[in-house]
Amino acid sequence: MTSMRIFYFSGTGNSLFIAQELHKSFPEATVVPIIQVTDYSIKADVVGFVFPVHAFTMPAPVKYFLEKINLEQPSYLFAIATRGGSPCHVFRDMDRLLQKKERALNAHWFIDMPNNFCHIADTPDQALIERLCAEARVKLEPIAAAIGNREEVHATNSEKSFWRKKLLFPALSVVLRKTDYLHTDKKFYADDRCIGCGLCTKVCLSGKIEQQEGRPVWKEETECYFCFACINYCPRQAIQIRKTKSMTKGRYRHPLYTAHDIARQKGGTERRRSGCAESGEV
């Protein structure tokens, strides 16, 4: 029997949703959080990567993971990137890393999901969330069929503007990555609404946040993964980002997943959930 592993990284639940929905089509597959992997010898015939687009490319932990893994055994590699809609060259960037291992993605797709950059973008409303979740399930049907048949499928950007696709977005990607999202990692803070619950520390996937005297502190020496779990899962909306509209914007996390579900990526047993209208209490 063909073995399959689906590796995922998810800050506010979108990519976790896609990974678990895909798992329904391949119940024999193993769903594995990327940041939990310690053995990089991948013993599976089919390997998939599910993650959000960050700075128009892959998140830092996905990049580190691809640099370390041994892909001698897998015969078929696929990737699914969730995004807010902007064009990007994330799969090209992945192939450049995989080329060093004499491999390339056999198939890749984009799936649009609600944007969790709520300190900048408009907060998605319930109608939009439900629509995008429903559309994602529909898109996953042919994707699962293609994976099952080991088809070669390479999604392309819908952006038609040469200037935006070839110049603007690639340049923005470089700037955002080189400057850590314009030094956003140094702009997080908790305002007076903070109750010291420590939830931000629990969901911080890079371990950047620690509690000091009942308040969250973002450690300067620790890398931020920019998953924005801390700001979006704070039960009091107390976490802010300086020089943004975070004080007046809402928050977004996938309605299926609690802070506990996100924190489980750091260790513990994965659990499966289904549906899209369920409330995600913290």
Side-chain angles (χ1 to χ4, degrees):
M1 180 181 293
T2 299
S3 58
M4 179 185 298
R5 285 196 177 185
I6 302 170
F7 294 96
Y8 79 92
F9 175 78
S10 185
T12 50
N14 286 339
S15 293
L16 175 55
F17 171 72
I18 296 301
Q20 292 191 341
E21 286 295 308
L22 185 64
H23 192 198
K24 294 177 182 178
S25 296
F26 303 101
E28 74 286 355
T30 304
V31 180
V32 185
I34 282 175
I35 62 173
Q36 207 177 113
V37 175
T38 56
D39 182 359
Y40 295 98
S41 298
I42 309 303
K43 297 176 174 61
D45 300 312
V46 177
V47 170
F49 311 99
V50 182
F51 56 88
V53 171
H54 284 187
F56 307 100
T57 188
M58 74 199 84
V62 177
K63 177 178 180 292
Y64 303 151
F65 179 62
L66 290 178
E67 290 172 340
K68 294 178 180 179
I69 58 175
N70 184 321
L71 293 171
E72 292 181 3
Q73 179 173 332
S75 59
Y76 185 84
L77 304 178
F78 71 88
I80 302 175
T82 60
R83 62 177 183 177
S86 298
C88 62
H89 298 287
V90 61
F91 301 126
R92 178 201 64 187
D93 296 341
M94 291 184 72
D95 276 337
R96 286 177 175 173
L97 286 177
L98 292 172
Q99 187 177 22
K100 298 176 182 178
K101 305 175 188 293
E102 299 183 344
R103 297 301 304 270
L105 292 171
N106 298 98
H108 54 67
W109 299 268
F110 291 111
I111 294 184
D112 292 344
M113 292 293 288
N115 197 326
N116 72 352
F117 279 48
C118 297
H119 55 292
I120 298 174
D122 291 335
T123 309
D125 59 24
Q126 187 62 29
L128 178 60
I129 294 170
E130 291 182 357
R131 177 174 66 80
L132 290 175
C133 282
E135 290 177 354
R137 285 194 175 101
V138 172
K139 290 177 182 177
L140 278 171
E141 292 179 9
I143 289 175
I147 293 170
N149 294 325
R150 310 295 183 265
E151 296 176 11
E152 297 277 337
V153 182
H154 299 94
T156 57
N157 285 306
S158 57
E159 177 62 52
K160 296 181 180 179
S161 168
F162 177 88
W163 180 77
R164 285 162 57 89
K165 183 168 63 175
K166 297 293 186 179
L167 299 176
L168 176 61
F169 289 110
L172 282 174
S173 179
V174 171
V175 170
L176 292 173
R177 284 184 286 115
K178 294 293 186 181
T179 64
D180 287 330
Y181 278 82
L182 303 179
H183 306 296
T184 294
D185 59 326
K186 295 178 174 59
K187 298 176 183 177
F188 288 101
Y189 72 98
D191 65 22
D192 293 339
R193 287 174 288 186
C194 176
I195 57 175
C197 68
L199 197 63
C200 53
T201 301
K202 293 177 182 177
V203 299
C204 179
L205 298 179
S206 70
K208 188 175 181 66
I209 306 174
E210 66 179 8
Q211 295 290 309
Q212 294 183 8
E213 299 180 355
R215 302 282 294 184
V217 174
W218 283 259
K219 296 179 290 185
E220 187 173 346
E221 70 277 9
T222 303
E223 181 180 13
C224 180
Y225 286 165
F226 300 105
C227 66
F228 298 110
C230 61
I231 187 171
N232 285 296
Y233 273 101
C234 175
R236 299 297 295 271
Q237 294 191 16
I239 295 179
Q240 312 297 342
I241 302 176
R242 294 182 181 87
K243 298 181 180 180
T244 71
K245 297 180 180 179
S246 64
M247 287 287 292
T248 58
K249 295 285 187 178
R251 303 291 189 262
Y252 167 76
R253 64 258 188 166
H254 195 283
L256 269 182
Y257 303 108
T258 67
H260 183 62
D261 294 310
I262 300 302
R264 280 189 174 192
Q265 290 176 79
K266 296 190 288 186
T269 304
E270 192 71 14
R271 67 173 175 178
R272 296 182 60 200
R273 305 178 68 174
S274 61
C276 193
E278 190 176 335
S279 173
E281 299 297 329
V282 264

